[in-house]
Amino acid sequence: MHANLPLFASPLPATGTREELAPGAWVLRGFALDVAETLLAEIERVAAASPFRHLVTPGGQKMSVAMTNCGEVGWFSDRRGYRYTETDPLTGKPWPALPASFAKLARDAARAAGFDDYAPDVCLINRYEVGTRLTLHQDHDERDRRAAPIVSVSLGLPATFLFGGLARKEPQRRIPLVHGDVVAWGGPSRMRYHGVLPIKDGEHALTGSRRYNLTFRVAR
Ligand code: SIN
Ligand code: FE2
């Protein structure tokens, strides 16, 4: 019995465990695992209507992470600045609606992190190829910056998530995130700096050599 148990503990915490990073900030290990394939199928449907694209920052730099959105509004960036739009500037049509599976997962994860009745109006979808990264930033384009949490879902290739403080210069924790992990940060942690280190080469059974991230927010 138990002959196959590993001698040493896995370096990653087990699915189902919760880890508090800071007041109001939690990692929920494996929280999205059961619905991951549904989420990936929905990402494809959203992207068929509003394709992934590389946005340009106000400073004129093309972002290495490809993005699209679903929800009542979508996050967008170009030379004119960062903002939320009601229509996809690429298609001229409204952003695809938030799939029911997205809304339910976000709500359940927020509750597990201590935030009841979470009703995000936007899901930014990030697509990372190997080598791409997201530099340290705050999510500060939302009208509601205080109460509602950010809920962030990892799918596909693993990543190292940087989780810092309320000032850019504060040190950051390095959190390994794998397929199915969810991070939620709100309340006193809502404005914490965060980012993603360059994605390491690899292959995931469901996403190939990519990582996807869903970022839910209350924007308006
Ligand atoms: C984000 O900050 O928008 C994405 C974070 C992540 O990809 O884990
Ligand atoms: Fe962010």
Side-chain angles (χ1 to χ4, degrees):
M1 269 181 86
H2 303 308
N4 292 324
L5 277 181
L7 217 54
F8 302 102
S10 153
L12 286 175
T15 288
T17 59
R18 292 197 313 178
E19 188 186 332
E20 192 174 26
L21 299 174
W26 291 86
V27 184
L28 310 170
R29 296 289 176 192
F31 199 89
L33 219 41
D34 288 351
V35 290
E37 288 186 52
T38 305
L39 301 178
L40 287 166
E42 293 289 7
I43 290 173
E44 266 184 50
R45 281 172 36 153
V46 169
S50 274
F52 282 100
R53 80 290 308 262
H54 295 274
L55 297 173
V56 174
T57 66
Q61 278 206 322
K62 199 165 123 178
M63 297 181 72
S64 68
V65 177
M67 298 178 179
T68 187
N69 292 273
C70 53
E72 285 158 43
V73 291
W75 186 81
F76 191 74
S77 171
D78 61 13
R79 285 284 195 172
R80 286 170 44 211
Y82 302 116
R83 62 194 178 276
Y84 282 94
T85 64
E86 286 180 6
T87 54
D88 177 353
L90 193 64
T91 65
K93 295 186 198 143
W95 294 102
L98 203 68
S101 57
F102 280 32
K104 182 179 185 324
L105 172 69
R107 192 180 171 86
D108 291 350
R111 180 173 296 118
F115 301 94
D116 281 343
D117 301 321
Y118 184 55
D121 55 7
V122 57
C123 176
L124 168 68
I125 309 176
N126 295 312
R127 188 186 70 195
Y128 298 77
E129 310 285 343
V130 168
T132 62
R133 63 196 286 250
L134 202 60
T135 53
L136 201 67
H137 66 278
Q138 283 175 306
D139 290 2
H140 56 35
D141 301 318
E142 299 70 34
R143 245 174 250 164
D144 167 38
R145 296 189 189 180
R146 279 284 145 224
I150 310 286
V151 171
S152 172
V153 181
S154 290
L155 297 166
L157 283 184
T160 301
F161 185 61
L162 299 175
F163 195 67
L166 297 173
R168 184 181 284 278
K169 63 175 190 295
E170 283 179 52
Q172 298 109 38
R173 288 182 63 171
R174 292 181 170 215
I175 322 281
L177 295 179
V178 300
H179 179 72
D181 286 347
V182 176
V183 186
W185 61 100
S189 285
R190 170 63 179 76
M191 296 308 290
R192 280 180 183 266
Y193 277 86
H194 57 280
V196 177
L197 290 183
I199 303 296
K200 291 200 182 124
D201 196 8
E203 195 73 18
H204 189 276
L206 295 178
T207 67
S209 54
R210 286 174 169 162
R211 171 181 188 255
Y212 292 93
N213 164 265
L214 307 178
T215 292
F216 295 95
R217 305 168 179 152
V218 176
R220 303 187 300 181

